[in-house]
Amino acid sequence: MAIFWKTQLSGLPLSKKDIHIWRVALDSPVISVQKLKQTLSIDERIRAERFHFEKDRTYFIIRRGILRTLLGFYLGIDSRKLQFCYGKYGKPALADISGKGTICFNISHSGGVALYAFTRDCEIGVDIERIRDIPEMDQVVEHFFSEREKSVFRSLPKNRQKEAFFNCWTRKEAFIKAIGDGLYLPLDKFDVSATSDEPAKLLKIEGDSKGASQWFIQDLKPANRFASAIAVEGRNWQLHCWQWSH
């Protein structure tokens, strides 16, 4: 599936079978950090001040402020009034918004790029990673990849292993983030497709291919030298992708 990142806000309402993805360049000069900071709650501002480095503090304010702004768009309410709760493993969710329906979301960021994923009434996971050299890559594969994934990785020529590693990792992380607090599952207990030659897919969950077939996984290709994927349960989803510009 080819991914097109739209800049015009067309068809913004989030329907039951829609997946909305927003891509944000965290260093974009059009982003007003002070305006976004004004949307944050007191506890979020305190959390921002705990970051030692200014860049990390700024990135947190941008990520959280844009999350609030987008949720405010979808729900039609003042973004400053939103409240979040956190599950057992730390996954954030919206506190109850009476009469507004349930919006599920997930966020990931790497290398100055953030991705936001939104659905209605269905948990979603998103992961992004900048493709880079990792000295301990072989050890990560050994400890966290399934036997099938290890076999595929090791069969590839060296010049293809790095890309395969990040394809596999983001697909696995997206799935783990989607199941969130509903299930704890070690990374080596399920199989995903691993290379760019294979469509992104969940193959088996603890040996069960039927359960895995109920999940939709999609690569996003947010920028050159980045790998990214989303995971959501169900089929017949309509994917819409936007580039944040203001």
Side-chain angles (χ1 to χ4, degrees), residues 146-187:
S146 70
E147 291 303 319
R148 180 193 182 277
E149 292 160 353
K150 291 177 191 177
S151 177
V152 171
F153 177 83
R154 292 166 180 162
S155 71
L156 294 171
K158 286 292 184 181
N159 64 353
R160 294 189 59 198
Q161 285 185 344
K162 182 163 58 176
E163 181 185 25
F165 172 86
F166 283 103
N167 282 333
C168 188
W169 184 262
T170 53
R171 294 167 189 176
K172 291 174 79 68
E173 279 292 306
F175 174 63
I176 284 293
K177 293 174 74 176
I179 61 178
D181 298 323
L183 176 67
Y184 176 74
L185 186 67
L187 287 169

Short mmCIF file of all heavy atoms in Angstrom, two decimals, residues 146-187:
data_model
loop_
_atom_site.label_atom_id
_atom_site.label_comp_id
_atom_site.label_asym_id
_atom_site.label_seq_id
_atom_site.Cartn_x
_atom_site.Cartn_y
_atom_site.Cartn_z
N SER A 146 11.77 -13.86 17.52
CA SER A 146 11.33 -15.26 17.55
C SER A 146 12.29 -16.12 16.73
O SER A 146 13.15 -15.61 16.00
CB SER A 146 9.92 -15.36 16.96
OG SER A 146 9.95 -15.13 15.56
N GLU A 147 12.14 -17.42 16.82
CA GLU A 147 13.03 -18.33 16.08
C GLU A 147 12.91 -18.10 14.59
O GLU A 147 13.91 -18.11 13.86
CB GLU A 147 12.72 -19.78 16.44
CG GLU A 147 13.09 -20.16 17.87
CD GLU A 147 14.57 -19.92 18.17
OE1 GLU A 147 15.40 -20.22 17.30
OE2 GLU A 147 14.87 -19.44 19.27
N ARG A 148 11.69 -17.90 14.09
CA ARG A 148 11.51 -17.64 12.67
C ARG A 148 12.18 -16.33 12.28
O ARG A 148 12.86 -16.25 11.25
CB ARG A 148 10.02 -17.57 12.31
CG ARG A 148 9.78 -17.30 10.83
CD ARG A 148 8.35 -16.93 10.51
NE ARG A 148 8.17 -16.73 9.07
CZ ARG A 148 8.46 -15.61 8.43
NH1 ARG A 148 8.97 -14.57 9.09
NH2 ARG A 148 8.28 -15.50 7.12
N GLU A 149 11.99 -15.30 13.07
CA GLU A 149 12.58 -13.99 12.75
C GLU A 149 14.11 -14.05 12.77
O GLU A 149 14.76 -13.44 11.93
CB GLU A 149 12.07 -12.95 13.74
CG GLU A 149 10.58 -12.65 13.58
CD GLU A 149 9.96 -12.01 14.81
OE1 GLU A 149 10.64 -11.91 15.85
OE2 GLU A 149 8.79 -11.63 14.74
N LYS A 150 14.66 -14.79 13.72
CA LYS A 150 16.11 -14.96 13.76
C LYS A 150 16.61 -15.63 12.49
O LYS A 150 17.63 -15.22 11.91
CB LYS A 150 16.51 -15.82 14.97
CG LYS A 150 16.32 -15.17 16.31
CD LYS A 150 16.69 -16.17 17.41
CE LYS A 150 16.28 -15.67 18.78
NZ LYS A 150 16.56 -16.67 19.84
N SER A 151 15.90 -16.66 12.07
CA SER A 151 16.31 -17.41 10.87
C SER A 151 16.29 -16.52 9.64
O SER A 151 17.24 -16.53 8.84
CB SER A 151 15.39 -18.61 10.68
OG SER A 151 15.71 -19.31 9.51
N VAL A 152 15.22 -15.72 9.49
CA VAL A 152 15.13 -14.82 8.35
C VAL A 152 16.25 -13.79 8.41
O VAL A 152 16.93 -13.52 7.40
CB VAL A 152 13.76 -14.11 8.33
CG1 VAL A 152 13.74 -13.01 7.28
CG2 VAL A 152 12.65 -15.11 8.06
N PHE A 153 16.47 -13.19 9.56
CA PHE A 153 17.51 -12.17 9.72
C PHE A 153 18.89 -12.72 9.36
O PHE A 153 19.65 -12.09 8.63
CB PHE A 153 17.49 -11.65 11.17
CG PHE A 153 18.55 -10.65 11.48
CD1 PHE A 153 18.37 -9.30 11.16
CD2 PHE A 153 19.75 -11.03 12.10
CE1 PHE A 153 19.36 -8.37 11.44
CE2 PHE A 153 20.73 -10.10 12.38
CZ PHE A 153 20.53 -8.76 12.05
N ARG A 154 19.21 -13.89 9.88
CA ARG A 154 20.54 -14.46 9.65
C ARG A 154 20.74 -14.92 8.21
O ARG A 154 21.89 -15.05 7.75
CB ARG A 154 20.76 -15.63 10.61
CG ARG A 154 20.89 -15.19 12.06
CD ARG A 154 20.76 -16.36 13.01
NE ARG A 154 20.88 -15.96 14.42
CZ ARG A 154 20.48 -16.69 15.44
NH1 ARG A 154 19.93 -17.89 15.22
NH2 ARG A 154 20.63 -16.26 16.67
N SER A 155 19.65 -15.20 7.50
CA SER A 155 19.77 -15.65 6.10
C SER A 155 20.05 -14.49 5.14
O SER A 155 20.42 -14.73 3.98
CB SER A 155 18.48 -16.36 5.68
OG SER A 155 17.41 -15.43 5.53
N LEU A 156 19.88 -13.27 5.61
CA LEU A 156 20.05 -12.11 4.73
C LEU A 156 21.52 -11.71 4.62
O LEU A 156 22.29 -11.89 5.56
CB LEU A 156 19.26 -10.92 5.28
CG LEU A 156 17.75 -11.05 5.30
CD1 LEU A 156 17.13 -9.89 6.09
CD2 LEU A 156 17.19 -11.09 3.88
N PRO A 157 21.91 -11.16 3.47
CA PRO A 157 23.26 -10.62 3.37
C PRO A 157 23.43 -9.45 4.34
O PRO A 157 22.45 -8.79 4.72
CB PRO A 157 23.36 -10.15 1.91
CG PRO A 157 21.96 -10.03 1.44
CD PRO A 157 21.15 -11.01 2.21
N LYS A 158 24.64 -9.18 4.77
CA LYS A 158 24.92 -8.16 5.78
C LYS A 158 24.35 -6.79 5.40
O LYS A 158 23.88 -6.05 6.27
CB LYS A 158 26.43 -8.04 6.00
CG LYS A 158 27.03 -9.18 6.79
CD LYS A 158 26.56 -9.16 8.24
CE LYS A 158 27.25 -10.24 9.07
NZ LYS A 158 26.78 -10.25 10.48
N ASN A 159 24.39 -6.47 4.10
CA ASN A 159 23.94 -5.14 3.70
C ASN A 159 22.42 -4.97 3.74
O ASN A 159 21.90 -3.88 3.52
CB ASN A 159 24.46 -4.79 2.31
CG ASN A 159 23.92 -5.71 1.23
OD1 ASN A 159 23.26 -6.71 1.52
ND2 ASN A 159 24.21 -5.38 -0.02
N ARG A 160 21.68 -6.04 4.05
CA ARG A 160 20.22 -5.96 4.17
C ARG A 160 19.73 -6.18 5.60
O ARG A 160 18.55 -5.99 5.88
CB ARG A 160 19.55 -6.98 3.25
CG ARG A 160 19.75 -6.73 1.76
CD ARG A 160 18.89 -7.65 0.94
NE ARG A 160 17.48 -7.48 1.26
CZ ARG A 160 16.53 -8.39 0.97
NH1 ARG A 160 16.86 -9.51 0.37
NH2 ARG A 160 15.26 -8.16 1.30
N GLN A 161 20.63 -6.55 6.48
CA GLN A 161 20.21 -6.91 7.83
C GLN A 161 19.71 -5.71 8.65
O GLN A 161 18.76 -5.84 9.41
CB GLN A 161 21.34 -7.62 8.57
CG GLN A 161 21.57 -9.04 8.10
CD GLN A 161 22.61 -9.77 8.93
OE1 GLN A 161 23.39 -9.16 9.67
NE2 GLN A 161 22.65 -11.09 8.79
N LYS A 162 20.34 -4.56 8.47
CA LYS A 162 19.94 -3.41 9.28
C LYS A 162 18.51 -2.98 8.96
O LYS A 162 17.71 -2.74 9.87
CB LYS A 162 20.91 -2.24 9.05
CG LYS A 162 20.60 -1.01 9.89
CD LYS A 162 21.77 -0.05 9.96
CE LYS A 162 22.22 0.43 8.61
NZ LYS A 162 23.32 1.43 8.72
N GLU A 163 18.18 -2.91 7.69
CA GLU A 163 16.82 -2.53 7.31
C GLU A 163 15.82 -3.57 7.80
O GLU A 163 14.74 -3.23 8.33
CB GLU A 163 16.70 -2.38 5.79
CG GLU A 163 15.30 -1.98 5.34
CD GLU A 163 15.16 -1.94 3.83
OE1 GLU A 163 15.92 -2.65 3.14
OE2 GLU A 163 14.29 -1.19 3.35
N ALA A 164 16.16 -4.85 7.67
CA ALA A 164 15.27 -5.92 8.13
C ALA A 164 15.07 -5.84 9.64
O ALA A 164 13.96 -6.06 10.14
CB ALA A 164 15.82 -7.28 7.73
N PHE A 165 16.14 -5.54 10.35
CA PHE A 165 16.04 -5.42 11.81
C PHE A 165 15.01 -4.36 12.20
O PHE A 165 14.14 -4.61 13.04
CB PHE A 165 17.41 -5.05 12.39
CG PHE A 165 17.37 -4.73 13.86
CD1 PHE A 165 17.48 -5.73 14.81
CD2 PHE A 165 17.23 -3.42 14.29
CE1 PHE A 165 17.43 -5.44 16.17
CE2 PHE A 165 17.18 -3.11 15.65
CZ PHE A 165 17.28 -4.12 16.58
N PHE A 166 15.08 -3.18 11.59
CA PHE A 166 14.17 -2.11 11.97
C PHE A 166 12.75 -2.35 11.46
O PHE A 166 11.78 -1.97 12.12
CB PHE A 166 14.71 -0.76 11.50
CG PHE A 166 15.82 -0.24 12.36
CD1 PHE A 166 17.14 -0.31 11.95
CD2 PHE A 166 15.54 0.30 13.60
CE1 PHE A 166 18.17 0.15 12.75
CE2 PHE A 166 16.56 0.77 14.42
CZ PHE A 166 17.87 0.69 14.00
N ASN A 167 12.61 -3.00 10.30
CA ASN A 167 11.27 -3.39 9.85
C ASN A 167 10.62 -4.33 10.87
O ASN A 167 9.47 -4.15 11.27
CB ASN A 167 11.34 -4.10 8.50
CG ASN A 167 11.51 -3.14 7.34
OD1 ASN A 167 11.11 -1.98 7.41
ND2 ASN A 167 12.11 -3.61 6.27
N CYS A 168 11.38 -5.33 11.28
CA CYS A 168 10.86 -6.32 12.22
C CYS A 168 10.58 -5.67 13.57
O CYS A 168 9.51 -5.89 14.17
CB CYS A 168 11.87 -7.46 12.37
SG CYS A 168 11.26 -8.86 13.33
N TRP A 169 11.50 -4.86 14.05
CA TRP A 169 11.36 -4.25 15.38
C TRP A 169 10.14 -3.35 15.45
O TRP A 169 9.38 -3.40 16.43
CB TRP A 169 12.62 -3.48 15.72
CG TRP A 169 12.58 -2.93 17.12
CD1 TRP A 169 12.23 -1.66 17.51
CD2 TRP A 169 12.86 -3.65 18.32
NE1 TRP A 169 12.29 -1.54 18.87
CE2 TRP A 169 12.67 -2.74 19.40
CE3 TRP A 169 13.26 -4.96 18.59
CZ2 TRP A 169 12.86 -3.12 20.73
CZ3 TRP A 169 13.46 -5.33 19.91
CH2 TRP A 169 13.26 -4.42 20.96
N THR A 170 9.94 -2.48 14.46
CA THR A 170 8.80 -1.55 14.52
C THR A 170 7.47 -2.29 14.41
O THR A 170 6.49 -1.90 15.05
CB THR A 170 8.90 -0.47 13.44
OG1 THR A 170 9.07 -1.09 12.14
CG2 THR A 170 10.07 0.47 13.70
N ARG A 171 7.43 -3.35 13.62
CA ARG A 171 6.19 -4.13 13.52
C ARG A 171 5.89 -4.81 14.85
O ARG A 171 4.73 -4.86 15.28
CB ARG A 171 6.32 -5.16 12.39
CG ARG A 171 6.43 -4.54 11.01
CD ARG A 171 6.86 -5.53 9.93
NE ARG A 171 7.14 -4.86 8.66
CZ ARG A 171 7.61 -5.46 7.58
NH1 ARG A 171 7.84 -6.78 7.60
NH2 ARG A 171 7.84 -4.77 6.48
N LYS A 172 6.91 -5.34 15.51
CA LYS A 172 6.71 -6.00 16.79
C LYS A 172 6.29 -4.99 17.86
O LYS A 172 5.37 -5.22 18.65
CB LYS A 172 7.99 -6.73 17.22
CG LYS A 172 8.31 -7.95 16.36
CD LYS A 172 9.65 -8.56 16.70
CE LYS A 172 9.58 -9.42 17.93
NZ LYS A 172 8.79 -10.65 17.74
N GLU A 173 6.97 -3.86 17.90
CA GLU A 173 6.66 -2.84 18.90
C GLU A 173 5.25 -2.27 18.70
O GLU A 173 4.54 -2.01 19.67
CB GLU A 173 7.69 -1.72 18.84
CG GLU A 173 8.98 -2.03 19.56
CD GLU A 173 8.79 -2.11 21.07
OE1 GLU A 173 8.25 -1.16 21.66
OE2 GLU A 173 9.18 -3.14 21.65
N ALA A 174 4.85 -2.08 17.46
CA ALA A 174 3.50 -1.57 17.20
C ALA A 174 2.45 -2.54 17.74
O ALA A 174 1.45 -2.12 18.36
CB ALA A 174 3.29 -1.35 15.70
N PHE A 175 2.68 -3.84 17.55
CA PHE A 175 1.73 -4.83 18.06
C PHE A 175 1.69 -4.83 19.59
O PHE A 175 0.61 -4.83 20.20
CB PHE A 175 2.10 -6.22 17.53
CG PHE A 175 1.27 -7.32 18.11
CD1 PHE A 175 -0.11 -7.38 17.90
CD2 PHE A 175 1.85 -8.32 18.89
CE1 PHE A 175 -0.87 -8.40 18.44
CE2 PHE A 175 1.10 -9.34 19.43
CZ PHE A 175 -0.27 -9.38 19.21
N ILE A 176 2.86 -4.82 20.22
CA ILE A 176 2.91 -4.81 21.68
C ILE A 176 2.22 -3.57 22.24
O ILE A 176 1.50 -3.63 23.24
CB ILE A 176 4.38 -4.88 22.15
CG1 ILE A 176 4.92 -6.30 21.99
CG2 ILE A 176 4.53 -4.40 23.58
CD1 ILE A 176 4.27 -7.32 22.91
N LYS A 177 2.42 -2.43 21.58
CA LYS A 177 1.78 -1.20 22.05
C LYS A 177 0.27 -1.24 21.83
O LYS A 177 -0.49 -0.64 22.59
CB LYS A 177 2.41 0.01 21.36
CG LYS A 177 3.86 0.24 21.77
CD LYS A 177 4.51 1.34 20.97
CE LYS A 177 4.03 2.71 21.41
NZ LYS A 177 4.73 3.80 20.70
N ALA A 178 -0.18 -1.93 20.79
CA ALA A 178 -1.61 -2.03 20.54
C ALA A 178 -2.30 -2.87 21.60
O ALA A 178 -3.39 -2.52 22.08
CB ALA A 178 -1.88 -2.63 19.16
N ILE A 179 -1.70 -3.99 22.01
CA ILE A 179 -2.34 -4.81 23.02
C ILE A 179 -2.19 -4.19 24.40
O ILE A 179 -2.99 -4.46 25.30
CB ILE A 179 -1.82 -6.27 23.02
CG1 ILE A 179 -0.31 -6.34 23.31
CG2 ILE A 179 -2.12 -6.93 21.70
CD1 ILE A 179 0.23 -7.76 23.36
N GLY A 180 -1.21 -3.30 24.57
CA GLY A 180 -1.11 -2.46 25.75
C GLY A 180 -1.28 -3.21 27.04
O GLY A 180 -0.59 -4.19 27.33
N ASP A 181 -2.26 -2.78 27.85
CA ASP A 181 -2.49 -3.37 29.16
C ASP A 181 -3.37 -4.62 29.09
O ASP A 181 -3.58 -5.28 30.10
CB ASP A 181 -3.15 -2.35 30.08
CG ASP A 181 -2.26 -1.14 30.29
OD1 ASP A 181 -1.05 -1.33 30.38
OD2 ASP A 181 -2.79 -0.02 30.34
N GLY A 182 -3.91 -4.92 27.91
CA GLY A 182 -4.79 -6.06 27.82
C GLY A 182 -4.08 -7.39 27.91
O GLY A 182 -4.65 -8.40 28.23
N LEU A 183 -2.78 -7.40 27.60
CA LEU A 183 -2.04 -8.66 27.56
C LEU A 183 -0.56 -8.36 27.64
O LEU A 183 -0.07 -7.45 26.99
CB LEU A 183 -2.36 -9.39 26.25
CG LEU A 183 -1.63 -10.70 25.95
CD1 LEU A 183 -2.06 -11.77 26.93
CD2 LEU A 183 -1.92 -11.15 24.53
N TYR A 184 0.16 -9.13 28.44
CA TYR A 184 1.61 -9.02 28.45
C TYR A 184 2.16 -10.19 27.65
O TYR A 184 1.88 -11.34 27.94
CB TYR A 184 2.18 -9.05 29.86
CG TYR A 184 3.69 -9.02 29.85
CD1 TYR A 184 4.38 -7.86 29.55
CD2 TYR A 184 4.42 -10.19 30.09
CE1 TYR A 184 5.76 -7.85 29.50
CE2 TYR A 184 5.79 -10.19 30.03
CZ TYR A 184 6.46 -9.02 29.75
OH TYR A 184 7.83 -9.01 29.68
N LEU A 185 2.96 -9.89 26.64
CA LEU A 185 3.47 -10.92 25.75
C LEU A 185 4.94 -10.65 25.45
O LEU A 185 5.27 -9.58 24.93
CB LEU A 185 2.66 -10.92 24.46
CG LEU A 185 2.96 -12.03 23.44
CD1 LEU A 185 2.54 -13.38 23.99
CD2 LEU A 185 2.21 -11.74 22.13
N PRO A 186 5.85 -11.58 25.77
CA PRO A 186 7.26 -11.38 25.44
C PRO A 186 7.44 -11.23 23.93
O PRO A 186 6.73 -11.85 23.13
CB PRO A 186 7.93 -12.66 25.95
CG PRO A 186 7.00 -13.18 27.00
CD PRO A 186 5.62 -12.82 26.53
N LEU A 187 8.42 -10.42 23.54
CA LEU A 187 8.63 -10.12 22.12
C LEU A 187 8.98 -11.36 21.30
O LEU A 187 8.72 -11.39 20.09
CB LEU A 187 9.73 -9.07 21.97
CG LEU A 187 9.36 -7.64 22.37
CD1 LEU A 187 10.61 -6.76 22.42
CD2 LEU A 187 8.35 -7.05 21.39
#
